Amino acid sequence: MTRVFSGIKPTGHLTLGNYLGAVRQWAEVAQHRTDALFCVVDMHALTVDHDPARVRRLSRQAATLLLASGLDPELCTVFVQSQVDEHARLSYVLECVATDGEARRMIQYKEKAARERERGGSVRLSLLTYPVLMAADILAYGTDEVPVGDDQTQHVELARDLAVRFNQRYGQAFVVPRATHPKVGARVMNLQEPTSKMGKTDDAGPGIVYLLDEPDVVRKKIMRAVTDSGREVVYDRVARPGLANLLDILAACEGGNPEDLSGVYESYGALKKDTAEAVVELLRPVQQRHKELCADPAYVEEVLRLGAAKAREMARPRVDAAYRAIGLLAG
Ligand code: TYM
């Protein structure tokens, strides 16, 4: 059976981008058809300036939202990265396979490091090694497929390169994974800045729809989305990015095609109104279930405890084998 692994980083509240680009596919497709693991990758949240209490809170919230989005612990394994030591163990081994140049070429590293330096802050070493830990997350489980949004493609490519290199040098230990993306919604853009990704770590702003935003807040954000000058509704991601983003979001909500939808609308206002309602309806059941799960934190804790135990068992033999293969006296 195909093995799937994917993760989400608790650096902020989950957004519509996370949902349409990743989580919805996990819940609607992956958990039913594959042997899947989904992880709140809390160690990745320490790579930038962080508040420990906030990371703990956001990790619990992310896990609760994954369950609220429909991940079913009877069908897949849901867990928190720091509760399974194999990720950090394997990450070190992969650091001995990756090169410094490879890590420095990662676009997200370059962008985040530049932003941090502009602010006069220092860049944590873990920001540079982050994609290697991500490769460890993936490779520890013999993962075939990694369902992610577009922005993670380069990181999954690195995981592939490291798997191939390790296997060639030290003997077959890892499956070579590949990234998969949803047809529509793989890159949801910021509503106020439609040439930038809708990212959860950005400052809370009117351009980001959070999964837990109240319906009226969602409506307001979408109705105020920046659109382009021009009047007809056409789908052109380069020339009309604001409009294309709304068409993408609506198409992703309805399971349609953004190009087909463009012919249906005569005004931006009508498109915004339908998009807002579609997002409100999409989020309604997730928010309802989230509320129920918040009333039962012991259930969520138990799901995570059992998930971590299962994940540990799955990862351990492969990580031990990699330790032995690379020359360590692993038990
Ligand atoms: P993270 O936490 O930034 O995002 C989680 C998932 O959501 C997708 N995503 C988006 N998709 C479409 N439009 C957007 N605006 C948008 N924003 C985020 C991401 O592509 C991702 O699939 N490095 C990863 C976490 C990670 C991971 C892993 C993923 C760590 N280890 C192993 C897969 C496998 C990250 O920062 O995702």
Side-chain angles (χ1 to χ4, degrees), residues 21-92:
V23 178
R24 189 167 66 155
Q25 275 60 40
W26 306 352
E28 288 182 2
V29 185
Q31 69 171 350
H32 298 287
R33 298 204 193 138
T34 64
D35 177 7
L37 297 106
F38 300 108
C39 186
V40 176
V41 288
D42 55 348
M43 290 159 75
H44 288 274
L46 311 187
T47 54
V48 286
D49 201 16
H50 78 286
D51 166 19
R54 182 165 189 265
V55 170
R56 275 193 295 272
R57 213 168 44 241
L58 287 173
S59 294
R60 283 199 194 94
Q61 190 195 64
T64 309
L65 270 170
L66 292 185
L67 299 175
S69 300
L71 291 188
D72 177 350
E74 299 284 319
L75 300 175
C76 65
T77 306
V78 183
F79 69 106
V80 175
Q81 182 189 34
S82 61
Q83 296 181 354
V84 179
D85 291 344
E86 270 53 43
H87 296 243
R89 286 179 70 215
L90 182 57
S91 184
Y92 179 71

Side-chain angles (χ1 to χ4, degrees), residues 88-141:
R89 286 179 70 215
L90 182 57
S91 184
Y92 179 71
V93 162
L94 294 177
E95 280 181 25
C96 302
V97 176
T99 68
D100 163 72
E102 241 166 2
R104 287 184 198 282
R105 274 198 296 278
M106 294 292 122
I107 296 164
Q108 288 208 349
Y109 168 73
K110 287 201 268 191
E111 287 177 356
K112 286 187 185 169
R115 231 179 291 150
E116 198 54 53
R117 288 194 185 103
E118 251 168 48
R119 271 194 231 129
S122 54
V123 178
R124 295 183 182 184
L125 181 57
S126 56
L127 189 68
L128 180 65
T129 55
Y130 174 126
V132 181
L133 176 59
M134 176 164 162
D137 300 337
I138 296 168
L139 299 185
Y141 295 95

Side-chain angles (χ1 to χ4, degrees), residues 5-9 15 17-18 21-22 26 41 44 130 134 137-138 146-152 155 185-189 197-198 200:
F5 180 97
S6 202
I8 194 150
K9 188 172 70 207
T15 71
N18 296 133
W26 306 352
V41 288
H44 288 274
Y130 174 126
M134 176 164 162
D137 300 337
I138 296 168
V146 188
V148 281
D150 265 0
D151 63 321
Q152 296 301 318
H155 292 160
R187 180 171 284 262
V188 177
M189 309 308 271
K197 186 187 79 169
M198 185 186 283
K200 63 174 131 53

Side-chain angles (χ1 to χ4, degrees), residues 17-320:
N18 296 133
Y19 188 73
L20 293 178
V23 178
R24 189 167 66 155
Q25 275 60 40
W26 306 352
E28 288 182 2
V29 185
Q31 69 171 350
H32 298 287
R33 298 204 193 138
T34 64
D35 177 7
L37 297 106
F38 300 108
C39 186
V40 176
V41 288
D42 55 348
M43 290 159 75
H44 288 274
L46 311 187
T47 54
V48 286
D49 201 16
H50 78 286
D51 166 19
R54 182 165 189 265
V55 170
R56 275 193 295 272
R57 213 168 44 241
L58 287 173
S59 294
R60 283 199 194 94
Q61 190 195 64
T64 309
L65 270 170
L66 292 185
L67 299 175
S69 300
L71 291 188
D72 177 350
E74 299 284 319
L75 300 175
C76 65
T77 306
V78 183
F79 69 106
V80 175
Q81 182 189 34
S82 61
Q83 296 181 354
V84 179
D85 291 344
E86 270 53 43
H87 296 243
R89 286 179 70 215
L90 182 57
S91 184
Y92 179 71
V93 162
L94 294 177
E95 280 181 25
C96 302
V97 176
T99 68
D100 163 72
E102 241 166 2
R104 287 184 198 282
R105 274 198 296 278
M106 294 292 122
I107 296 164
Q108 288 208 349
Y109 168 73
K110 287 201 268 191
E111 287 177 356
K112 286 187 185 169
R115 231 179 291 150
E116 198 54 53
R117 288 194 185 103
E118 251 168 48
R119 271 194 231 129
S122 54
V123 178
R124 295 183 182 184
L125 181 57
S126 56
L127 189 68
L128 180 65
T129 55
Y130 174 126
V132 181
L133 176 59
M134 176 164 162
D137 300 337
I138 296 168
L139 299 185
Y141 295 95
T143 303
D144 300 291
E145 289 180 6
V146 188
V148 281
D150 265 0
D151 63 321
Q152 296 301 318
T153 306
Q154 195 189 27
H155 292 160
V156 179
E157 288 293 316
L158 178 69
R160 287 176 67 88
D161 291 347
L162 298 183
V164 169
R165 196 175 307 150
F166 187 103
N167 290 347
Q168 278 169 355
R169 277 192 199 156
Y170 305 112
Q172 198 67 30
F174 299 118
V175 173
V176 180
R178 67 183 186 94
T180 61
H181 308 290
K183 271 199 220 83
V184 186
R187 180 171 284 262
V188 177
M189 309 308 271
N190 186 301
L191 297 172
Q192 290 298 316
E193 246 180 90
T195 48
S196 312
K197 186 187 79 169
M198 185 186 283
K200 63 174 131 53
T201 23
D202 301 337
D203 296 334
I208 306 165
V209 174
Y210 293 101
L211 294 192
L212 293 178
D213 276 346
E214 297 283 336
D216 276 345
V217 175
V218 173
R219 288 190 187 101
K220 208 177 281 167
K221 287 178 175 174
I222 293 179
M223 293 309 290
R224 290 187 185 160
V226 166
T227 38
D228 323 274
S229 55
R231 297 178 111 210
E232 346 82 271
V233 178
V234 287
Y235 185 73
D236 184 337
R237 285 198 106 182
V238 179
R240 313 278 285 277
L243 196 57
N245 192 34
L246 290 173
L247 287 164
D248 276 338
I249 292 172
L250 179 58
C253 290
E254 293 185 341
N257 176 336
E259 266 130 2
D260 296 346
L261 278 177
S262 60
V264 174
Y265 289 94
E266 298 205 338
S267 75
Y268 289 6
L271 169 65
K272 283 181 171 176
K273 202 154 170 276
D274 280 7
T275 306
E277 290 316 313
V279 173
V280 166
E281 288 314 312
L282 184 79
L283 299 186
R284 196 187 297 285
V286 178
Q287 295 184 351
Q288 177 58 37
R289 182 90 181 108
H290 178 261
K291 208 192 250 168
E292 289 162 17
L293 287 166
C294 282
D296 192 1
Y299 168 75
V300 178
E301 288 286 320
E302 185 62 5
V303 167
L304 296 178
R305 198 182 61 76
L306 293 173
K310 231 165 105 191
R312 232 174 271 132
E313 248 170 55
M314 282 192 238
R316 183 102 210 213
R318 185 172 279 95
V319 177
D320 280 349

